[in-house]
Amino acid sequence: MAADLSVVADRFGLGEITETQVITAGTMNLNWRVTTTGGVWAVKRVLDVDAAAARRQHRVTIALAERGLPVPPACTVTSAGGDTLLDLRGRLYAVTGWVAGVHRGGTMLSPAETEDLGSLLSRLQVELGRILPAVPETVREMPAEAAAAKDGIDRYAAAAAARPEPDEFDAFVIDRMTARRVLLAQVAHLRPDEDAPVGPCGWIHGDFQHLNVLYGPAGVSAVLDWDRLKPRPVAAELVRSATLLFGRPDGSLDLQRVTAFAAGYRSVRPLPDAAIVDAVGRLWWERICDTWQLRRHYERQDPSCDHLFRSAEASLAWWTSNREPVSEAFTARRQTADRHRRTPGSSSVICPGHGPTVARW
């Protein structure tokens, strides 16, 4: 791997490597903090998307940075005519300037910071719509079938029970799949309408949550990891992001912050209540039916997302008992003071051969 990083540094014109550090956060790609004589860089080995998707992301990050948003732009390979992706015998690498900052859980944010984060998500979506091709205003989304969800529940309950020496996680899975099976039978009539048009649609970041947002002294310094860039109903991202940002360890949601986040979002891009309530119901149903963490554990022998299954189960139990307050929190009107919206600072990220890209928000 050290040999690859040396080639990456050479081909991207980063300078001579003086230090490398593996970044352990994240489960999809391989990442390093690389210090060279030319600066400090974030190097990613791209594993989670193909080359075409990676290049599209890079075009988008460059365009967003040029529009003043806190997105680190992809650097270009010095000898490849502007290409932002280096292919080393099938191993794909990308580089951005390193952005200083820390991750902050959503429940650590002040009301003003929470509204700011919602407005930032909305601004990103609006700019994506200007950068990327137009998408249909509405789509029809097929919610998971209750029968297929039950099959998955039964399959993983059986897989846990069949282990020669079941451990504590297997016992937890059996218990939760038993409860999930009962819940699914009770709420099957609440499956979202598969024939109803869902929208408005647009391009979304796809994984806007605290591990992909960095904070500096003046506020958000970077929005990272654009691997899930895609067109979707925009309210779906608003709702999913809020549930990830403002969930507590016991599974409950900080509903006051949910309201502030949604209000900040809607201060930039108004969304009708009906679209948001529909997105809330669709995500709740998805959480009932989804067992992706167990697929990784039992089919791929990969326990890296076991903790996400535990937190998802706690969240689902609380959400199911509080469906009406959750929907109300997303649609409640909140007075947004004109300024508590600070005049934030800016961050500057420079790639070799380019002037500074100043990200202001």
Side-chain angles (χ1 to χ4, degrees):
M1 198 58 66
D4 274 11
L5 292 179
S6 293
V7 176
V8 169
D10 178 62
R11 297 288 295 278
F12 279 92
L14 307 183
E16 183 180 347
I17 294 177
T18 59
E19 182 183 3
T20 61
Q21 176 185 350
V22 177
I23 306 302
T24 56
T27 60
M28 302 303 178
N29 300 293
L30 300 177
N31 300 275
W32 296 266
R33 183 181 190 268
V34 177
T35 304
T36 74
T37 53
V40 185
W41 314 95
V43 177
K44 173 194 284 190
R45 181 175 171 190
V46 179
L47 297 172
D48 203 35
V49 296
D50 62 22
R55 289 185 173 98
R56 181 178 66 186
Q57 292 167 27
H58 298 163
R59 291 192 294 271
V60 166
T61 61
I62 292 168
L64 289 172
E66 288 173 347
R67 285 161 169 76
L69 288 157
V71 178
C75 297
T76 56
V77 182
T78 56
S79 59
D83 197 355
T84 54
L85 200 62
L86 178 62
D87 187 341
L88 295 181
R89 297 174 297 281
R91 299 186 299 279
L92 303 177
Y93 289 92
V95 176
T96 67
W98 184 264
V99 180
V102 296
H103 300 295
R104 298 177 63 193
T107 56
M108 298 169 59
L109 303 180
S110 70
E113 290 171 324
T114 302
E115 288 191 25
D116 282 342
L117 191 59
S119 68
L120 174 59
L121 173 61
S122 194
R123 290 171 57 203
L124 287 167
Q125 289 184 354
V126 168
E127 291 301 330
L128 289 172
R130 294 169 177 161
I131 293 165
L132 290 161
V135 300
E137 179 67 14
T138 62
V139 294
R140 281 180 168 77
E141 293 202 327
M142 178 65 72
E145 295 279 1
K150 182 179 180 300
D151 287 345
I153 289 168
D154 292 344
R155 180 166 61 257
Y156 294 120
R163 296 285 292 273
E165 297 182 8
D167 59 19
E168 185 273 338
F169 183 76
D170 297 319
F172 181 73
V173 168
I174 293 169
D175 175 73
R176 298 320 304 157
M177 291 299 95
T178 300
R180 190 93 72 91
R181 189 183 297 115
V182 173
L183 173 62
L184 184 61
Q186 291 173 339
V187 302
H189 63 290
L190 297 176
R191 177 177 179 264
D193 184 356
E194 64 187 55
D195 294 321
V198 184
C201 296
W203 289 89
I204 66 169
H205 174 277
D207 196 19
F208 191 86
Q209 41 100 350
H210 79 281
L211 292 177
N212 288 329
V213 178
L214 288 177
Y215 280 84
V220 174
S221 58
V223 178
L224 309 172
D225 191 359
W226 290 80
D227 285 353
R228 295 290 179 269
L229 176 69
K230 59 189 171 185
R232 274 215 70 197
V234 295
E237 177 158 63
L238 166 64
V239 172
R240 179 182 184 273
S241 296
T243 65
L244 297 177
L245 286 162
F246 307 114
R248 300 188 179 106
D250 65 358
S252 64
L253 278 176
D254 185 328
L255 296 183
Q256 288 187 327
R257 284 184 169 84
V258 167
T259 296
F261 183 72
Y265 180 99
R266 296 172 92 181
S267 71
V268 175
R269 180 178 195 161
L271 279 179
D273 286 357
I276 298 175
V277 171
D278 181 68
V280 171
R282 287 176 182 274
L283 184 59
W284 174 70
W285 178 260
E286 178 184 316
R287 298 276 173 87
I288 291 172
C289 298
D290 199 8
T291 51
W292 69 269
Q293 306 97 331
L294 300 185
R295 183 168 60 252
R296 292 185 70 144
H297 182 97
Y298 291 107
E299 297 181 19
R300 302 182 189 176
Q301 289 71 56
D302 176 5
S304 63
C305 293
D306 289 359
H307 66 292
L308 298 179
F309 176 73
R310 293 180 184 276
S311 60
E313 285 300 304
S315 173
L316 176 60
W318 183 87
W319 191 348
T320 300
S321 298
N322 294 273
R323 290 180 59 231
E324 187 172 341
V326 171
S327 290
E328 290 174 349
F330 275 101
T331 56
R333 294 299 188 266
R334 175 184 171 86
Q335 200 68 27
T336 303
D338 281 337
R339 262 295 272 238
H340 67 235
R341 292 198 183 284
R342 306 170 301 282
T343 301
S346 63
S347 61
S348 182
V349 179
I350 306 176
C351 289
H354 297 269
T357 296
V358 179
R360 291 189 174 89
W361 64 285

